[in-house]
């Protein structure tokens, strides 16, 4: 899958412009605050309808403007596809070609992109929610139905928590919510586990490549409930925890507490790996996902790497870019480091990003 061109209007600090991207590696170079991350964010938004920054959609609209509009021309397989997204203070609207999208789910699957930002470098040690987000994104790319399951589960969880907080409900009413939650929850964890098992071998391989040595790297899923009991077991745990949940106004057991564990050389990486190794493992996780998606016969998602190289040491960084340069699909890399331009001489396209403009160098 390739983003051939991108039209931007009213998006953060980016000027109104049309950008032709290369099919392979694209390097966005420029000083801080010029708009490199914003450009990647625009593509990510067309992919997931969410920013990779914690922000409200309306903060994305350029200061003083009433709306932002993004368009992208894609090549999917051999077929062209145009996407359009309009952001206004009241909400967002989406189109596939000339036709308004039926619902967000229809739009979401179209442009597949995976982003990696400096925040993701903290994946190994960061909050579990970050790893769950990665896992659900991964499971979605490997199996699109995962999106609806994850969404339904989170709606059911919110509904149960809301009821718990009101404190006013009939026991049967809460049971109905708990049953739904147990059914969706057991399936959600099972799908996440399948995803982790699929990614494991690729993760091990990529870790070795990035670390430059054979590495016993592994992935494990720590479920937020006793998985062996299955759906009925989860329902039992929900019922047994009712008093606690009622006091807290939140559900204390289930996939909302699942966690992904990364291991290196037989030890939990969170506790034993050096900071540099943890960063490398985090990037390896993403590259493992890309490999696995492609290995499954799907097209490579567009890979968005924001400023990651500055945080890696020289050897890891060189191996990372060798690895990324060898990918067949489209990659966008941002950097403030002019040295990287030299290292990536084979880059298909180099853009200088200055004051909200992407200027093609070649
Ligand atoms: N809604 C907005 N409207 C206008 N400018 C914005 C908006 N949001 C962020 N910016 C500006 O975008 C610039 C940061 O762009 P960014 O892509 O993060 O830079 P970098 O090139 O360092 O990655 C900052 O100058 C910031 O003030
Ligand atoms: Mg940036």
């Amino acid at each position: 899958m390739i983003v051939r061109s991108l039209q931007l209007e009213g998006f953060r600090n980016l000027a109104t412009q049309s950008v032709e991207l290369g099919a392979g590696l694209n390097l966005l170079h420029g000083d801080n605050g010029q708009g490199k991350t914003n450009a990647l964010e625009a593509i990510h938004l067309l992919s997931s309808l969410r920013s990779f920054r914690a922000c409200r959609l309306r903060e994305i609209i350029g200061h003083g403007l009433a709306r932002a509009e993004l368009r992208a021309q894609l090549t999917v397989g051999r077929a062209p596809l145009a996407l359009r997204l309009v952001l206004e203070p009241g909400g967002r609207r989406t189109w596939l070609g000339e036709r308004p999208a039926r619902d967000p789910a229809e739009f979401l699957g179209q442009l597949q992109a995976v982003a990696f930002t400096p925040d993701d470098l903290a994946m190994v040690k960061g909050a579990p929610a970050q790893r769950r987000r990665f896992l659900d994104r991964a499971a979605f790319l490997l199996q699109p139905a995962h999106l609806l399951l994850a969404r339904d589960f989170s709606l059911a969880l919110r509904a149960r928590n809301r009821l718990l907080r009101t404190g006013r409900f009939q026991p049967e009413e809460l049971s109905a919510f708990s049953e739904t939650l147990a059914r969706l929850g057991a399936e959600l964890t099972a799908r996440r586990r399948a995803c982790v098992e699929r990614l494991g071998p690729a993760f091990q391989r990529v870790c070795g490549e990035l670390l430059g040595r054979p590495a016993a790297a592994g992935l494990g899923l720590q479920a937020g409930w006793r998985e062996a009991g299955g759906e009925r077991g989860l329902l039992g745990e929900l019922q047994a925890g009712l008093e606690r949940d009622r006091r807290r106004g939140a559900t204390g057991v289930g996939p909302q507490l699942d966690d992904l564990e990364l291991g290196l050389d037989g030890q939990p990486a969170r506790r034993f790996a050096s900071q540099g190794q943890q960063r490398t493992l985090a990037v390896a996780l993403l590259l493992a996902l890309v490999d696995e998606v492609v290995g499954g016969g799907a097209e490579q998602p567009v890979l968005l790497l924001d400023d990651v190289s500055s945080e890696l040491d020289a050897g890891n960084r060189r191996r990372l870019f060798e690895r990324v340069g060898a990918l067949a699909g489209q990659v966008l890399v941002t950097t403030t480091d002019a040295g990287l331009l030299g290292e990536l001489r084979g880059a298909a396209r180099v853009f200088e990003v200055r004051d909200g403009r992407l200027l093609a160098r070649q």
Side-chain angles (χ1 to χ4, degrees), residues 36-52:
K36 302 181 297 297
T37 301
N38 293 346
L40 263 48
E41 185 186 34
I43 295 178
H44 186 264
L45 198 68
L46 283 167
S47 166
S48 66
L49 292 176
R50 279 198 318 120
S51 171
F52 49 60

Side-chain angles (χ1 to χ4, degrees), residues 209-232:
E209 289 169 10
L210 295 189
L211 293 169
R213 64 169 169 90
L219 294 178
L221 184 77
Q222 188 82 50
W225 55 286
R226 283 194 291 278
E227 240 180 315
E231 177 183 334
R232 288 189 50 191

Side-chain angles (χ1 to χ4, degrees), residues 12-13 31-38 53 59-63:
R12 292 203 186 264
N13 78 327
D31 291 338
N32 281 321
Q34 301 303 307
K36 302 181 297 297
T37 301
N38 293 346
R53 289 171 158 134
E59 293 168 24
I60 284 173
I61 300 172
H63 296 321

Side-chain angles (χ1 to χ4, degrees), residues 136 145-156 188 191-192:
D136 283 335
H146 189 85
L147 184 69
L148 288 179
L149 177 64
R151 194 199 58 185
D152 290 350
F153 174 81
S154 104
L155 289 175
L188 183 58
R191 295 254 185 108
R192 285 175 175 167

Side-chain angles (χ1 to χ4, degrees), residues 25 50 113 152 317 355:
L25 189 58
R50 279 198 318 120
D152 290 350
R317 173 177 125 155
D355 205 12

